[in-house]
Amino acid sequence: MNDNPKVLMLMGSKSDHDTMNICRELLLEFGIGVDYRVASAHRAPDAVAELAKGAKERGIKVVIAGAGGAAHLPGVVAAHTPLPVLGIPIHTSSFNGMDSLLSIVQMPGGIPVSTMAVGKAGAKNAALFAVEIMALADEELDAKLADYRAAQTEASLNSTPPL
Ligand code: RP5
């Protein structure tokens, strides 16, 4: 939990933490407060609805939801809030995350969820996507994002193939 969270991060199970924490840590690097919780759409549906319904009023700007398998959490959250919802499909041992991906991506028209890549790349990109959204109205954050991108480009150009 954080004093002034701008991003609400929900995951279906504590078993999603290793992936979701990549996102949390990157948001914290950008100085963005995060409310980080387990809230399962199936095991605790009323709590999920309550968190989603109250998010905007308490100053949350973006919701990031990660789930695996029958991954209904991002869609259920989106049904209860007008805030942008980013979905992270957790990698699964049963179907390599294809189950999570299809559960999150195929939303009915009218209730959008922005679906990230499966697994750790998706967690990283969810953080960056949230930063991009918030940077539209925050010049300081916009400058941090530009620095991040420049450093990433430099690191990429300076890297060499491991021959
Ligand atoms: C989903 O079921 C969770 O998001 C998790 O990825 C998956 C398995 O949960 P556990 O059985 O490990 O708690 O709801």
Side-chain angles (χ1 to χ4, degrees), residues 3 12 20 36 41-43 48-49 55-56 85 96-97 104-105 129 133-134 137 141 157 162:
D3 279 349
M20 298 299 283
Y36 184 75
H42 304 119
R43 294 166 177 153
V48 168
K56 189 175 180 185
V85 176
N96 290 324
I104 295 175
V105 78
F129 204 92
I133 291 168
M134 291 185 283
L141 193 56
L157 289 171

Side-chain angles (χ1 to χ4, degrees), residues 30-41:
F30 275 92
I32 294 168
V34 181
D35 181 357
Y36 184 75
R37 302 163 184 250
V38 173
S40 166

Side-chain angles (χ1 to χ4, degrees), residues 11-102:
M11 68 207 86
S13 166
K14 68 179 182 184
S15 64
D16 301 328
H17 165 74
D18 284 352
T19 300
M20 298 299 283
N21 197 38
I22 291 167
C23 179
R24 187 187 73 92
E25 287 187 341
L26 188 48
L27 287 166
L28 294 179
E29 268 180 47
F30 275 92
I32 294 168
V34 181
D35 181 357
Y36 184 75
R37 302 163 184 250
V38 173
S40 166
H42 304 119
R43 294 166 177 153
D46 292 343
V48 168
E50 197 178 317
L51 281 163
K53 283 178 187 168
K56 189 175 180 185
E57 202 176 332
R58 68 187 177 100
I60 298 292
K61 302 297 180 197
V62 178
V63 184
I64 296 173
H72 298 126
L73 181 62
V76 168
V77 170
H80 287 296
T81 179
L83 292 171
V85 176
L86 315 185
I88 302 172
I90 301 293
H91 184 270
T92 58
S93 51
S94 316
F95 297 100
N96 290 324
M98 185 63 85
D99 44 352
S100 321
L101 174 66
L102 294 179

Side-chain angles (χ1 to χ4, degrees), residues 81-162:
T81 179
L83 292 171
V85 176
L86 315 185
I88 302 172
I90 301 293
H91 184 270
T92 58
S93 51
S94 316
F95 297 100
N96 290 324
M98 185 63 85
D99 44 352
S100 321
L101 174 66
L102 294 179
S103 293
I104 295 175
V105 78
Q106 198 59 21
M107 287 296 291
I111 304 292
V113 168
S114 182
T115 308
M116 302 293 119
V118 171
K120 292 180 176 175
K124 186 174 183 179
N125 282 346
L128 294 171
F129 204 92
V131 168
E132 288 173 2
I133 291 168
M134 291 185 283
L136 290 170
D138 182 335
E139 283 180 17
E140 198 182 323
L141 193 56
D142 197 42
K144 280 187 195 170
L145 182 59
D147 289 347
Y148 177 93
R149 286 286 188 108
Q152 178 171 257
T153 299
E154 197 179 329
S156 172
L157 289 171
N158 289 336
S159 65
T160 49

